[in-house]
Amino acid sequence: MKNSQDESENDDQGQPLDMKPLRSLAPMFPTPLGYDVTTQSTDPMLVFVTPFRPRASPEISAASFGQPLPKPPIPLKATPISAAFPIPRHEYESSDEDYKPFSNHKKTTSTSRKITKGTQQAGYSDTANIKRRSTKRSLNIELASCPSSSSDPNESVEEIMMMFDSLRRRILQLDEKEDAGRRADLKAGTLMMQNGLRINNLKTIGPVPGVEIGDIFFFRIEMCIHHFGGYENDDNDMDILVYTGQGGNSRHKEKHDQKLERGNLALMNSMKRKNLIRVVRSAQDPFLNSGKIYIYDGLYRVEDSWMDKAKNGFSMFKYKLRREPGQPDGISVWKMTEKWKANPATRDKAILLDLSSKVENIPVCLVNDVDDEKGPSYFNYVTGLEYLRPLSKTKPLQSCKCPSVCLPDDPNCSCSQLNGGDLPYTSSGSLVKHIPMLYECSSRCQCSQNCRNRVTQKGVYLNFEVFWTGDCGWGVRSWDPIRAGTFICEYAGKVIDETNLNMDGEEDEYTFCTSWPIDKVLRWNLGAELLEDASANVTTERLKRLPIVISAKSSGNVARFLNHSCSPNLLWQPVQYDHGDNSYPHIMFFAMKHIPPMTELTYDYGTRGAPPGIKGKFPNAPKLKPCLCGSTNCRGSF
């Protein structure tokens, strides 16, 4: 790469800024002891905008710009920052240990609230941390197929991000059993980069292939995996933001005037050449008091620059960035949903503020912002299963004798043994892997209601709205950002006899029948399986079809409105906690990927019908219906 002097001598305003693959975040991450990462500092043109405490910025080199612009007559409000990603000291950003989407604590959703970082963790010390981080892991890389082999960049990004989070959750699960260190995100990212499991390696200015405006990330290393990185600042304007330059304000070094170098120089050069800049804003994680969520907000241009004085008296650079018009909404969606969560009555086009009539923990809003459709036909809102006849093989579940809560490293926990020797959830309540049957603690268990193995039985803790889609009828989306592995809801209704079900009638519109797991569901475990022996892989032989059929026509919950998609973002998981007949479990939905607010929640209904011409051979099978999901992988019918 050319140095600044050479570029200054050969500067060509007609050419875009020379850029290399976006890997700049990698060198800024603390590497777990026992792992080695070799990376290069390159030139991403991306700005992180956050309402939170300033952080250090990755190193950026660019061409000289010349003299700084004069300060404009009307100063724009901005908050000074230093640079963006310092190596954390005694803190665990976006740590699973503190992520509690199912607890009853008051949620904090404001994107303007500062994060209070804890500097002391219970039971934590440098000595213990060094000991814990000494654990090494390796990948069975021969089990992996290349996630970027798809011709659709969205699918490639989705697959590699699902692999990363699956790997992260499994590492966290194993580390807990072995009393190893935290930051499973860094360990997972390091392993993936060591094995070349990353995408978008080409030079690029502007949009990143496969990353859509509004996409969310819970860890900076996620953006590093597909070369998506940058630096951050403080501003809340939707389309115009003022960025404070980097340098000169470090907490650990002597303060000084900011210099026209690195990120400051890159922004100056981008303004001169009118390059597009990717902006990522960050918001408070509503389920994690000390965590952030990163939101890709689209493309901006540097419109102006000037020098200003900080409160400490030293000079700093200021940059005015304007969002390119005509882009989909990004951070503005978050602003709307935060307002609705604070006061659901502010939701425009709301038909009913609580469809559940206070049955759910959180109200379910009914909305139509498309046409004059007034609402779904009447049904009784329930949150569980109703059995029309006693189960023939009902038997109580085995119960654990854990004195307080089930612990991941307790070999005597019978509930852990039922789940293959592991607790199926992380300490945050995220599902680690999709398994044939998941056993939660029951009412017979001695552990408390605070046990981590009681997730789905506590009900829903997300802000849902049922909305009118038009062609696909009513659908479901959430006002909350959803992390991969998060419990969504149960499919509630009446458990009925499949032989008496008329699947050609209206009943079929609100009926759940189990089907063979789709490839995407099977691949959801891939990251976790890279740490396992090949014999431990979950296959279709182990995930057998269950006889349970649930009708939500007359009684049901929000799940009855979940639409089909051939590229779903939810999976269903059989769960037992109140009886022992594995043929009739509860059907629980979990997020397969990170889901931004106001994204429709869907699952794959499977191929339950019979094609035209052979229906006589299957008298109880419904006809296949045309699929309107619009996915690039659409099968055309379901």
Side-chain angles (χ1 to χ4, degrees):
M1 181 174 132
K2 298 178 181 178
N3 59 37
S4 298
Q5 182 177 358
D6 292 337
E7 288 195 358
S8 178
E9 293 172 355
N10 298 283
D11 186 23
D12 184 354
Q13 297 185 29
Q15 298 296 323
L17 179 64
D18 184 25
M19 296 180 64
K20 292 186 178 181
L22 305 185
R23 298 175 185 163
S24 67
L25 289 186
M28 305 309 297
F29 290 107
T31 302
L33 192 63
Y35 294 90
D36 294 316
V37 182
T38 303
T39 54
Q40 298 177 0
S41 180
T42 53
D43 305 25
M45 286 315 302
L46 183 148
V47 174
F48 271 113
V49 182
T50 173
F52 305 120
R53 190 169 59 199
R55 297 179 177 274
S57 174
E59 183 173 352
I60 298 179
S61 300
S64 300
F65 177 73
Q67 297 299 318
L69 297 177
K71 181 177 178 180
I74 302 178
L76 296 172
K77 183 178 179 181
T79 300
I81 66 165
S82 51
F85 305 135
I87 295 177
R89 302 173 178 264
H90 312 295
E91 62 185 8
Y92 298 91
E93 181 191 10
S94 297
S95 169
D96 260 319
E97 286 75 4
D98 299 323
Y99 185 79
K100 304 292 183 184
F102 311 111
S103 65
N104 293 323
H105 71 272
K106 184 177 180 180
K107 298 180 183 179
T108 303
T109 58
S110 172
T111 57
S112 61
R113 177 177 176 179
K114 291 186 178 180
I115 294 178
T116 301
K117 295 283 188 177
T119 57
Q120 299 293 331
Q121 300 286 340
Y124 173 81
S125 68
D126 286 335
T127 303
N129 191 52
I130 292 173
K131 180 180 179 180
R132 291 166 181 167
R133 287 174 180 264
S134 63
T135 303
K136 294 185 179 181
R137 303 200 187 282
S138 59
L139 296 181
N140 292 316
I141 198 64
E142 67 273 9
L143 299 179
S145 60
C146 180
S148 60
S149 60
S150 171
S151 59
D152 186 344
N154 294 76
E155 291 180 19
S156 298
V157 168
E158 180 181 285
E159 286 191 24
I160 203 164
M161 296 313 295
M162 285 199 306
M163 180 187 293
F164 161 79
D165 206 67
S166 172
L167 184 61
R168 180 192 66 83
R169 293 191 305 270
R170 180 57 175 157
I171 289 175
L172 184 64
Q173 186 182 56
L174 294 173
D175 280 357
E176 286 183 323
K177 292 182 66 175
E178 300 168 4
D179 195 27
R182 302 182 183 182
R183 295 314 301 263
D185 57 316
L186 301 184
K187 295 180 181 180
T190 299
L191 283 172
M192 291 188 70
M193 289 188 290
Q194 283 179 332
N195 289 280
L197 296 174
R198 57 199 308 193
I199 55 178
N200 285 334
N201 292 307
L202 301 177
K203 300 179 181 181
T204 178
I205 293 177
V208 175
V211 179
E212 302 292 336
I213 294 174
D215 282 356
I216 60 177
F217 308 90
F218 286 84
F219 302 95
R220 296 191 187 101
I221 192 70
E222 289 179 298
M223 292 177 278
C224 177
I225 288 170
H226 55 77
H227 299 296
F228 195 86
Y231 47 100
E232 55 189 304
N233 184 42
D234 180 357
D235 198 278
N236 290 319
D237 193 288
M238 299 292 186
D239 295 317
I240 298 177
L241 62 93
V242 174
Y243 176 84
T244 301
Q246 68 175 106
N249 197 34
S250 172
R251 289 178 297 171
H252 309 293
K253 296 180 181 180
E254 183 178 351
K255 295 177 174 57
H256 57 80
D257 291 338
Q258 291 183 356
K259 300 177 182 179
L260 190 61
E261 61 184 13
R262 300 166 58 189
N264 299 333
L265 186 56
L267 281 173
M268 287 287 193
N269 203 40
S270 292
M271 181 181 70
K272 183 177 180 181
R273 294 175 175 178
K274 299 182 179 180
N275 288 340
L276 290 171
I277 294 176
R278 293 180 288 270
V279 170
V280 171
R281 298 183 184 242
S282 69
Q284 170 75 46
D285 188 333
F287 302 113
L288 177 57
N289 291 332
S290 61
K292 293 182 183 180
I293 300 176
Y294 301 98
I295 310 109
Y296 175 46
D297 196 37
L299 302 176
Y300 284 65
R301 292 188 192 273
V302 184
E303 196 172 75
D304 204 354
S305 176
W306 64 94
M307 296 295 295
D308 205 346
K309 288 288 184 181
K311 292 182 179 180
N312 58 19
F314 292 101
S315 297
M316 58 184 177
F317 290 97
K318 290 290 186 69
Y319 304 91
K320 178 183 176 183
L321 284 75
R322 183 181 296 274
R323 196 169 190 262
E324 283 288 284
Q327 300 182 86
D329 292 334
I331 195 66
S332 59
V333 173
W334 287 65
K335 302 293 184 181
M336 291 189 299
T337 55
E338 285 178 4
K339 182 177 68 173
W340 300 338
K341 285 187 284 186
N343 182 7
T346 61
R347 176 64 168 108
D348 295 335
K349 306 296 184 180
I351 300 173
L352 194 61
L353 294 183
D354 188 7
L355 183 65
S356 78
S357 300
K358 298 185 178 180
V359 172
E360 294 284 12
N361 298 312
I362 296 177
V364 177
C365 192
L366 180 67
V367 176
N368 183 356
D369 52 10
V370 176
D371 53 31
D372 296 327
E373 180 69 27
K374 298 302 182 183
S377 57
Y378 175 80
F379 70 100
N380 183 36
Y381 200 103
V382 297
T383 58
L385 292 179
E386 177 185 349
Y387 298 95
L388 301 184
R389 57 182 175 80
L391 296 179
S392 58
K393 299 180 181 180
T394 299
K395 60 181 180 179
L397 285 175
Q398 180 178 344
S399 57
C400 70
K401 303 185 183 303
C402 301
S404 177
V405 295
C406 297
L407 300 175
D409 58 347
D410 184 359
N412 298 317
C413 176
S414 57
C415 291
S416 174
Q417 297 308 310
L418 279 173
N419 288 293
D422 294 308
L423 293 180
Y425 303 113
T426 68
S427 58
S428 71
S430 295
L431 180 66
V432 175
K433 294 190 296 183
H434 185 251
I435 54 181
M437 188 66 66
L438 189 154
Y439 299 91
E440 291 191 0
C441 292
S442 70
S443 59
R444 293 167 51 91
C445 293
Q446 294 185 10
C447 60
S448 71
Q449 289 299 308
N450 294 325
C451 177
R452 65 188 288 176
N453 197 34
R454 301 178 185 270
V455 172
T456 64
Q457 60 190 268
K458 292 183 178 180
V460 170
Y461 281 94
L462 293 171
N463 290 271
F464 290 126
E465 75 169 29
V466 173
F467 72 104
W468 181 247
T469 67
D471 293 340
C472 295
W474 296 96
V476 183
R477 55 194 176 197
S478 172
W479 294 348
D480 294 303
I482 300 174
R483 184 189 292 230
T486 296
F487 169 60
I488 304 300
C489 63
E490 177 175 2
Y491 199 102
K494 296 180 180 180
V495 177
I496 59 178
D497 186 348
E498 186 175 16
T499 59
N500 297 326
L501 178 65
N502 179 12
M503 294 294 284
D504 282 336
E506 184 183 353
E507 189 93 47
D508 186 37
E509 297 295 327
Y510 301 107
T511 301
F512 176 89
C513 295
T514 63
S515 58
W516 294 109
I518 61 172
D519 289 342
K520 187 174 181 180
V521 172
L522 295 175
R523 292 181 61 81
W524 194 68
N525 289 346
L526 180 57
E529 291 169 1
L530 292 177
L531 294 170
E532 310 290 342
D533 295 330
S535 60
N537 292 345
V538 177
T539 63
T540 53
E541 285 73 22
R542 293 181 60 194
L543 295 173
K544 296 181 179 180
R545 184 181 178 188
L546 299 169
I548 186 171
V549 177
I550 304 170
S551 172
K553 178 184 177 182
S554 59
S555 297
N557 66 342
V558 68
R560 74 196 295 269
F561 300 109
L562 292 173
N563 279 321
H564 162 82
S565 175
C566 298
S567 295
N569 49 27
L570 305 182
L571 58 81
W572 58 269
Q573 168 67 57
V575 176
Q576 289 283 57
Y577 64 84
D578 56 355
H579 66 82
D581 190 338
N582 286 347
S583 295
Y584 297 92
H586 296 268
I587 301 300
M588 306 296 189
F589 291 96
F590 291 83
M592 297 183 67
K593 53 187 284 190
H594 301 332
I595 306 174
M598 298 300 286
T599 300
E600 184 174 6
L601 305 177
T602 59
Y603 75 100
D604 193 317
Y605 290 2
T607 306
R608 300 179 301 183
I614 66 169
K615 181 170 173 56
K617 300 179 182 179
F618 303 93
N620 292 324
K623 294 180 181 179
L624 289 177
K625 298 180 180 180
C627 182
L628 303 175
C629 73
S631 165
T632 55
N633 292 326
C634 183
R635 300 190 297 267
S637 60
F638 65 93

